[in-house]
Amino acid sequence: MTDFRILADTLARSLAEDVAAGRRRPGDRLLPSRDYAHRQGIAPSTASRVYAELVRRGVAVGEVGRGTFLRAAQGLPPVPAAEATPGGLVDLEVNFCVLPDQGSLLAPALARLATPGALQPLLSRASVVGDAASREATARLMARGGWMPEPDSLLFAGRGQQALSACFTALIAPGERLGLEAMTYSLGKGVAARLGLQIVPLAMDEQGVRPDAIATAHAAHPLRLLYLQPELHNPLGTTMPPARRQEVAALCRALGITAVEDSVYGFLSADAAPPLAAHAPEQVVLVDSLSKRVAPGMTLGFLSAPPALRQRLAAALRLGGWAAQGFALAAGVGWMQDGSVDALVLRKRQDAQRRNALAQQVLGGGGLTLRGDPSAYHLWLELPDPWRAETFVAAAARHRIAVSPAAEFAAGPGHAPDAVRLALAAPAEAALRPALETLLDLALAGPDAAAVG
């Protein structure tokens, strides 16, 4: 690790401890980089690189002419549980919903696994293929728009992110070209970058990725793989209409391009259209999980793979250490079979629609521009002039509200839109309206009025 990254690690750890102890709050200004350089006995250029690394990691945001400010605790290294960050933060960055009484709903299935006879077989290593009952239950869960995957096409991972990592490991080699929507899931592009894949941003319109952008990029130099989110796109919250899905699927077939379809938010759409996998079953790997349906702490990832790719993906899951563990697989399938997942899906659809409508009422009703499907747990807020996204994130953090800037989701370098993603799932409902009203006031007041004195 280079010296400036070691220093960035040290500084990030120090900031995490300060937040945990209450000595610092999101939105606090860091020392000017020259003062930090003097204190550390390093060159100013090295200090500037340290601060740039903090911004890259999401620990801080830089505001031109104002300095560098601490972001919400999400980007900081973990601290021991006894030193948890003090309350008061309204987190609109993370997008997991855990309903208040989920524990009582999910406990009975776990109790059934607590007997020696049920537990003993779960103590061995899990297979990535599960058993027939697991595949049947998961296939039914993934069904939508009249489509259901073949149970024997399914593979299991510890979580959806691991299933995605397996796809990027198995289906494309370092240096090959991966087509991503111009705005995309931040972890997806991060995994791709770490694997040494050549990221190719693909232009989008209000319906999703543009087929002509795929064709043009492929003609310039072949794309080995596509990664797309047709349903409740993260971060934009938009949904690709059926005709566009058919067009993209037909293009994948014609050009011989494999696509990875991320469908982790698809369960929120009660009337979801058939996925890309329904239109191009030999070209599309569909990735899904229980993390949004159930909870991030009790999750299971799964993917539906074309027969020609299934063995490669299974090998990647095994070699990566990403296979689902026996207890998690049994618990997840038990919740599918006893109706717990269906009950949670129904309630989370209602919860997402209620929160989404509230955001539209407060922010859209206040004159701001929002994008996103009304079924989604997240919305895309386009900031009015003269706001810049990073400046708005820092201003929100000073009010103990965490939001995500557009740059986190931009597939390519260069200027990202002046917009932020609002993840509505995590805060208590009582805290959500005041936070949205604060964001409205900030957006309308402008950066000068919101600046720290």
Side-chain angles (χ1 to χ4, degrees), residues 95-123:
N95 212 21
F96 294 103
C97 172
V98 178
L99 299 174
D101 59 347
Q102 277 192 210
S104 60
L105 177 65
L106 300 176
L110 296 183
R112 290 193 291 270
L113 300 178
T115 64
L119 187 59
Q120 186 65 32
L122 306 181
L123 301 181

Side-chain angles (χ1 to χ4, degrees), residues 30 46 95 184 210-211 266 327 361 365 416 429:
L30 303 186
T46 301
N95 212 21
T184 191
R210 285 170 33 193
F327 189 85
Q361 176 191 7
E429 284 197 65

